[in-house]
Amino acid sequence: MEEMQMKKYPANSAGAKMTARVPTVGPDDTIADVRKMLYEKASAFATLSYIYVLDKEGHLLGLFPIREVFRAPDNIKAGEIMNPYMIKARPYTDQEEVALLAIKYNLKSIPVVDKNNKFLGVVRSHTIMNILNTEHIEDLLKSAGIHGIAEKTLNASASKMINARLSWLIIGLIGGVIAAQITQFFETPLKQYFVLAAFIPLMAYMADAIGTQTQTLFVRDLAMRKLDLKKYLLREIKVGLGIATILGLLLYIIGIFWSHIYYIALILGFSMFLTGFVAIFVPIVIILILDRMGLDPAIGSGPFATIVQDVITLALYFLIAVVMLGIFAPK
Amino acid sequence: MEEMQMKKYPANSAGAKMTARVPTVGPDDTIADVRKMLYEKASAFATLSYIYVLDKEGHLLGLFPIREVFRAPDNIKAGEIMNPYMIKARPYTDQEEVALLAIKYNLKSIPVVDKNNKFLGVVRSHTIMNILNTEHIEDLLKSAGIHGIAEKTLNASASKMINARLSWLIIGLIGGVIAAQITQFFETPLKQYFVLAAFIPLMAYMADAIGTQTQTLFVRDLAMRKLDLKKYLLREIKVGLGIATILGLLLYIIGIFWSHIYYIALILGFSMFLTGFVAIFVPIVIILILDRMGLDPAIGSGPFATIVQDVITLALYFLIAVVMLGIFAPK
């Protein structure tokens, strides 16, 4: 029966990860009946943490922990002792959501029911541990732009590793060529004020660093599914303004000491402020688009967001430079 | 008793996360005795998944699952039915290692013993789930350079968020200034061959991307504690050579089409090759140093490695450019 379920549901769903080999009883069964059943069938069960109470049609009514089998009086009925308030998953619920339910509600295992509340099985504690571990590894790998390598990276051959790592790197190369094109376009002002070219790595790095922070927090918060987007964005705007203002001021001061030209310092400081502020929203927009398209936000969150960030940062930086030079620089 | 243990051991150790409220029996107790004990004391236990078998001095001899209480014959002794081969942790074992033991050996909970094999308690399944979840979040935040914010990031105030994010960003700013200094030092050749300046973001980005991939894999592999470093480095050398060669060739071809100057293409291609190859080892060296110093490798793996990577990459790139221009460029 388990085998069949494995085939019916998608690989990372509760349905694929559940087992039906758990003790189930009727609401009118007494604790003495439950004990008798356990003595007869204990070998058949994959886990004994909870006893599940089902009605005749197989609807899930409640559950009670194995402890009650030892503690409760002989003649009490399962329907009386059970806890009817349960956290449940559907077979198509994503495995990570199941695991987070267990964490959030302090549960060992999560029952799975169909849309009519018919009991299908249980995602048990060890499976939940494995899900948490796998999702952890996958998140880390995805955010680093490594694909097609599962858990056992340690034993993967060199050529397999190259394969898994190369696809995002080549996309990165294309992004870098676009960045080069943009830089080349501003050759004249950058040659004239070479200090601006010297600060290219700083601008790119800072925007990436800010963006990586945002996307890490946002992917996580989004996975928790309890996000009030308006409130969230409002706080991010405050955070972005705070960070961008502090960094912009610092770079303005550094620029003054570095170049002794106030409008160069102004270009550096204002560019840091604006690209830093924009850097907060680039990953949020990318992740929201991926999420709406039904794709895993973690896929695009790593290297892809960085490339987009780099291109936007450089374009903004050079545009600010050209405009400000046009206003402030002596003709 | 649990309270006292919590105080005795460091916060993220097995000792701080264990409970002593589990059923324990002697090796000569029969299954009938075990049942009697469970009927009497079931309420006192935090978890009933396993029954632990201790000798008179409290040394851990073995364990058996609750299932045996229902399945085994009345007169069989705990010492006969128990599994004496157990995975155990010490009270000072890091909580993440405990969780990974449970995953690796397919266990619900992990017993904790002192150096004389005296039974101290059990890290139970729900605690292991919480550890896995917490470590996941912490790893993500650390690798993004976010500090001092725990799980509930969602509700942190804007000023608290700015605080948590700013420290690494300011270190990044300092790194960027060093990068600017290096770039400024090579002003003359970069102005003369501006195409080389245009490719600065590409060089920096690619080295960072390769390094991020390596450090993500390496931190993870290191946490699994089953690393044959020599074998690992040998494979990384192969992987590095493979990736660096492919990317170097691609950038050489792009350089030909871009500049139509063979030695510019050669500088771009060879710099990509060398910085890409070096990029594999920068995070490995940083992480090994942090690990040897007893620091959590994840701390420095994110933004810090990127800054070091950027500075090394630019220095190498410009040096290669100067040397190759000296050899190939018409005087």
Side-chain angles (χ1 to χ4, degrees):
Chain A
M1 187 178 170
E2 258 187 300
E3 282 268 301
M4 284 188 56
Q5 285 169 347
M6 305 277 278
K7 278 167 201 161
K8 235 167 45 180
Y9 301 109
N12 292 329
S13 67
K17 295 294 156 97
M18 70 191 178
T19 175
R21 291 165 49 224
V22 292
T24 58
V25 298
D28 293 326
D29 291 344
T30 62
I31 282 291
D33 295 331
V34 174
R35 273 185 216 130
K36 192 161 163 274
M37 181 273 290
L38 286 175
Y39 282 115
E40 281 165 11
K41 298 204 246 169
S43 302
F45 301 127
T47 171
L48 292 180
S49 298
Y50 297 102
I51 319 290
Y52 297 87
V53 184
L54 313 183
D55 68 12
K56 286 205 182 75
E57 288 78 39
H59 300 113
L60 181 59
L61 302 175
L63 56 77
F64 56 91
I66 186 81
R67 175 181 297 120
E68 298 300 344
V69 172
F70 298 103
R71 194 167 62 172
D74 281 8
N75 58 346
I76 200 168
K77 287 179 177 172
E80 295 171 299
I81 207 168
M82 73 182 187
N83 179 357
Y85 306 104
M86 290 165 297
I87 302 299
K88 295 174 269 190
R90 292 288 183 76
Y92 291 98
T93 305
D94 183 77
Q95 62 173 11
E96 188 171 18
E97 272 182 68
V98 175
L100 292 176
L101 282 175
I103 299 283
K104 192 170 167 190
Y105 294 101
N106 207 34
L107 298 165
K108 273 191 180 172
S109 49
I110 301 285
V112 183
V113 296
D114 72 7
K115 64 178 189 296
N116 301 316
N117 193 33
K118 230 171 146 170
F119 181 72
L120 298 173
V122 169
V123 183
R124 58 189 168 133
S125 59
H126 192 75
T127 309
I128 291 173
M129 286 181 207
N130 274 323
I131 292 169
L132 289 167
N133 190 44
T134 310
E135 294 283 339
H136 186 175
I137 297 172
E138 280 180 4
D139 272 10
L140 286 174
L141 294 183
K142 270 185 210 156
S143 74
I146 302 165
H147 286 268
I149 286 266
E151 279 187 55
K152 282 150 198 158
T153 52
L154 214 56
N155 303 316
S157 69
S159 63
K160 208 172 165 187
M161 284 298 299
I162 293 173
N163 229 11
R165 295 173 62 166
L166 207 58
S167 54
W168 269 117
L169 292 176
I170 289 176
I171 294 174
L173 201 71
I174 296 167
V177 171
I178 297 171
Q181 199 89 54
I182 295 171
T183 312
Q184 190 89 66
F185 186 78
F186 291 92
E187 179 170 355
T188 315
L190 287 173
K191 267 171 140 173
Q192 196 178 348
Y193 299 92
F194 189 76
V195 53
L196 296 177
F199 277 89
I200 289 175
L202 183 143
M203 289 293 168
Y205 172 78
M206 293 306 289
D208 291 347
I210 294 169
T212 302
Q213 289 182 339
T214 299
Q215 87 194 5
T216 302
L217 293 171
F218 191 58
V219 167
R220 189 72 211 169
D221 292 345
L222 207 65
M224 301 301 259
R225 302 280 163 202
K226 45 172 183 177
L227 204 64
D228 177 349
L229 196 61
K230 256 187 206 159
K231 207 177 138 200
Y232 189 88
L233 285 179
L234 205 73
R235 194 197 58 180
E236 282 306 297
I237 289 175
K238 284 189 212 163
V239 171
L241 281 176
I243 288 176
T245 305
I246 294 168
L247 295 176
L249 278 174
L250 281 174
L251 196 57
Y252 173 76
I253 294 165
I254 291 168
I256 290 280
F257 282 100
W258 187 288
S259 72
H260 305 291
I261 306 173
Y262 81 95
Y263 54 84
I264 294 293
L266 213 58
I267 290 170
L268 291 175
F270 185 67
S271 296
M272 182 69 258
F273 168 77
L274 200 66
T275 59
F277 186 60
V278 169
I280 295 263
F281 300 99
V282 172
I284 292 181
V285 170
I286 292 175
I287 290 166
L288 282 180
I289 291 173
L290 285 170
D291 196 51
R292 294 279 143 92
M293 286 167 68
L295 296 168
D296 182 346
I299 295 177
S301 68
F304 180 67
T306 307
I307 295 161
V308 175
Q309 195 79 268
D310 269 2
V311 169
I312 291 175
T313 301
L314 290 181
L316 275 177
Y317 176 36
F318 298 148
L319 279 175
I320 290 167
V322 168
V323 170
M324 285 205 167
L325 287 173
I327 298 170
F328 297 110
K331 297 294 170 313
Chain B
M1 188 180 173
E2 256 187 301
E3 282 267 302
M4 283 187 56
Q5 285 169 349
M6 306 276 278
K7 278 168 203 161
K8 234 168 41 179
Y9 302 109
N12 292 328
S13 67
K17 295 295 156 94
M18 70 191 179
T19 173
R21 290 164 50 225
V22 293
T24 58
V25 298
D28 293 325
D29 290 345
T30 63
I31 282 292
D33 296 331
V34 175
R35 272 184 216 129
K36 193 162 161 273
M37 181 273 291
L38 286 174
Y39 282 116
E40 280 165 12
K41 299 203 243 170
S43 303
F45 301 128
T47 170
L48 292 181
S49 299
Y50 298 101
I51 318 291
Y52 298 86
V53 184
L54 313 184
D55 69 12
K56 284 205 183 78
E57 288 78 40
H59 300 113
L60 180 60
L61 302 175
L63 55 78
F64 56 92
I66 186 81
R67 175 182 297 120
E68 297 300 343
V69 173
F70 298 103
R71 195 168 62 170
D74 281 8
N75 58 346
I76 200 168
K77 286 180 178 172
E80 296 172 297
I81 206 168
M82 72 180 187
N83 179 358
Y85 305 105
M86 289 164 299
I87 302 299
K88 295 173 269 191
R90 291 286 183 77
Y92 291 97
T93 305
D94 183 76
Q95 61 172 11
E96 188 170 17
E97 273 182 66
V98 175
L100 292 176
L101 283 176
I103 299 283
K104 192 172 168 190
Y105 295 101
N106 208 35
L107 299 166
K108 274 191 180 170
S109 49
I110 302 284
V112 183
V113 296
D114 72 8
K115 65 178 188 298
N116 301 315
N117 194 36
K118 231 171 146 169
F119 182 73
L120 297 173
V122 169
V123 182
R124 56 189 170 134
S125 58
H126 191 75
T127 309
I128 292 173
M129 286 181 207
N130 274 324
I131 293 169
L132 288 167
N133 189 46
T134 310
E135 293 284 338
H136 186 175
I137 296 172
E138 280 180 4
D139 272 9
L140 285 174
L141 295 182
K142 269 184 210 156
S143 74
I146 302 165
H147 285 269
I149 285 266
E151 279 187 55
K152 280 151 198 158
T153 52
L154 215 55
N155 304 316
S157 70
S159 64
K160 207 171 164 187
M161 284 298 298
I162 292 174
N163 230 10
R165 295 173 63 166
L166 208 57
S167 54
W168 269 117
L169 292 176
I170 288 177
I171 294 173
L173 200 71
I174 295 166
V177 171
I178 296 171
Q181 197 90 53
I182 295 171
T183 312
Q184 190 90 63
F185 187 77
F186 292 92
E187 178 171 355
T188 315
L190 287 173
K191 266 171 140 173
Q192 196 179 346
Y193 299 93
F194 189 75
V195 54
L196 297 177
F199 276 88
I200 288 174
L202 183 143
M203 289 293 167
Y205 173 77
M206 293 305 290
D208 290 347
I210 293 169
T212 302
Q213 289 183 339
T214 299
Q215 88 193 5
T216 303
L217 293 171
F218 192 58
V219 167
R220 187 73 210 167
D221 292 344
L222 206 66
M224 301 301 259
R225 300 282 162 200
K226 44 172 184 178
L227 205 62
D228 176 349
L229 197 63
K230 258 187 204 158
K231 207 178 137 202
Y232 188 89
L233 286 179
L234 206 74
R235 193 197 58 180
E236 283 305 298
I237 290 174
K238 285 189 211 161
V239 171
L241 281 176
I243 287 176
T245 306
I246 294 168
L247 294 176
L249 279 175
L250 280 175
L251 195 58
Y252 174 75
I253 295 165
I254 291 167
I256 292 279
F257 282 100
W258 186 290
S259 72
H260 306 290
I261 307 173
Y262 82 96
Y263 54 85
I264 293 295
L266 213 58
I267 290 170
L268 290 175
F270 185 67
S271 295
M272 181 70 258
F273 168 78
L274 199 67
T275 59
F277 186 60
V278 169
I280 295 262
F281 300 99
V282 172
I284 291 181
V285 170
I286 293 174
I287 290 166
L288 282 180
I289 291 173
L290 286 170
D291 196 51
R292 293 280 144 93
M293 287 167 67
L295 297 168
D296 183 345
I299 295 177
S301 68
F304 180 67
T306 306
I307 295 162
V308 176
Q309 194 80 267
D310 269 2
V311 169
I312 292 175
T313 301
L314 289 181
L316 275 177
Y317 176 37
F318 298 148
L319 280 176
I320 290 168
V322 167
V323 170
M324 285 205 166
L325 286 175
I327 299 171
F328 297 111
K331 297 296 171 316

